[in-house]
Amino acid sequence: MLRAKILPRLPVLMLIGLLTSSFPASGGSARMRPPSQSPAKLIENESTESPADPLKVISITADGKPVKFNEKFAAKEDWLRGLTLELKNISEKEITYIHCDLDFPETASTGQMMAYQLTMGLWPGIDNKSRAPFSLTPGSEVDIAFDDKRYADVARFINTRQPITSINRVTLRISFIIFADGTGYGGGGTLFRQDSNNPRRFTPVH
């Protein structure tokens, strides 16, 4: 759909979308065992940041508390439920399409790395009947949240390989953005223009 400068990656299996305490008995008496600790969680930012980036993640909430990129934090096993990214349009153009990838690197140990593809808005010039329009004007913000439905979709996908509760690390990448004027933007500061003969293709602006 788009041809951008993207670094080579491992094969990816993609999904497109839109604590128990134990009380053992011993000699007729019960002794409370402290709940097991879930491994530390980590959200990595794989986007190649550039001063020209039109979109910025201004906050992340996981397990009901603010967290930061590339810093480990404690959370429950189902920490992906409710995960929320707050994005801000820091450009001077209206954004009408956003494509983000959320990778699950730990799944690479059992096969192709699994990833969740999240898109918002309409790709100009092609059939978008199943999608809703989207607009993010300059200075505006939008939340991308893993609500119960989205979490259930991801859980079903990951559970085909391993339990969703075994995921402790995810990697976010903002892959492509389209503006209202029909131009596009890829990671690392690359500008694109839509091919007039093939609307599914964007080529770099030289």
Side-chain angles (χ1 to χ4, degrees):
M1 184 175 289
L2 68 94
R3 295 185 179 180
K5 293 182 180 179
I6 299 177
L7 296 177
R9 301 172 57 212
L10 294 174
V12 174
L13 185 60
M14 185 77 72
L15 171 66
I16 301 176
L18 296 181
L19 301 168
T20 302
S21 297
S22 177
F23 299 89
S26 176
S29 62
R31 183 174 58 185
M32 182 174 180
R33 181 181 301 168
S36 59
Q37 294 295 315
S38 179
K41 315 304 178 187
L42 180 65
I43 302 173
E44 299 172 309
N45 183 9
E46 196 178 271
S47 300
T48 304
E49 296 185 355
S50 164
D53 286 349
L55 199 61
K56 182 177 182 179
V57 179
I58 60 174
S59 71
I60 310 171
T61 303
D63 199 17
K65 57 192 175 186
V67 300
K68 295 182 180 180
F69 278 129
N70 308 317
E71 292 186 8
K72 292 183 177 181
F73 58 93
K76 296 178 296 187
E77 288 184 334
D78 64 346
W79 65 287
L80 290 175
R81 186 191 302 274
L83 174 66
T84 302
L85 305 171
E86 185 178 8
L87 308 178
K88 182 175 183 177
N89 181 355
I90 58 174
S91 77
E92 297 180 354
K93 294 184 179 182
E94 176 187 1
I95 295 173
T96 56
Y97 180 88
I98 300 173
H99 176 135
C100 299
D101 293 309
L102 195 66
D103 296 342
F104 303 94
E106 291 158 311
T107 62
S109 63
T110 56
Q112 291 183 335
M113 184 179 69
M114 306 175 85
Y116 180 75
Q117 184 184 82
L118 174 63
T119 60
M120 303 175 66
L122 305 178
W123 189 281
I126 65 173
D127 182 5
N128 289 284
K129 292 181 180 179
S130 63
R131 306 186 61 83
F134 169 77
S135 172
L136 190 64
T137 55
S140 298
E141 301 168 2
V142 63
D143 286 345
I144 298 178
F146 278 75
D147 55 19
D148 288 344
K149 181 181 183 304
R150 186 168 287 152
Y151 177 80
D153 289 342
V154 174
R156 279 192 295 269
F157 178 56
I158 299 295
N159 285 339
T160 62
R161 179 85 64 76
Q162 64 190 68
I164 184 67
T165 53
S166 69
I167 299 298
N168 302 303
R169 173 187 166 205
V170 297
T171 301
L172 173 72
R173 184 174 54 263
I174 300 176
S175 300
F176 199 66
I177 294 165
I178 299 177
F179 300 104
D181 63 4
T183 59
Y185 183 90
T190 305
L191 298 176
F192 292 82
R193 188 171 301 280
Q194 193 171 30
D195 189 324
S196 58
N197 297 315
N198 182 2
R200 295 183 180 275
R201 182 185 180 202
F202 275 74
T203 55
V205 176
H206 300 290

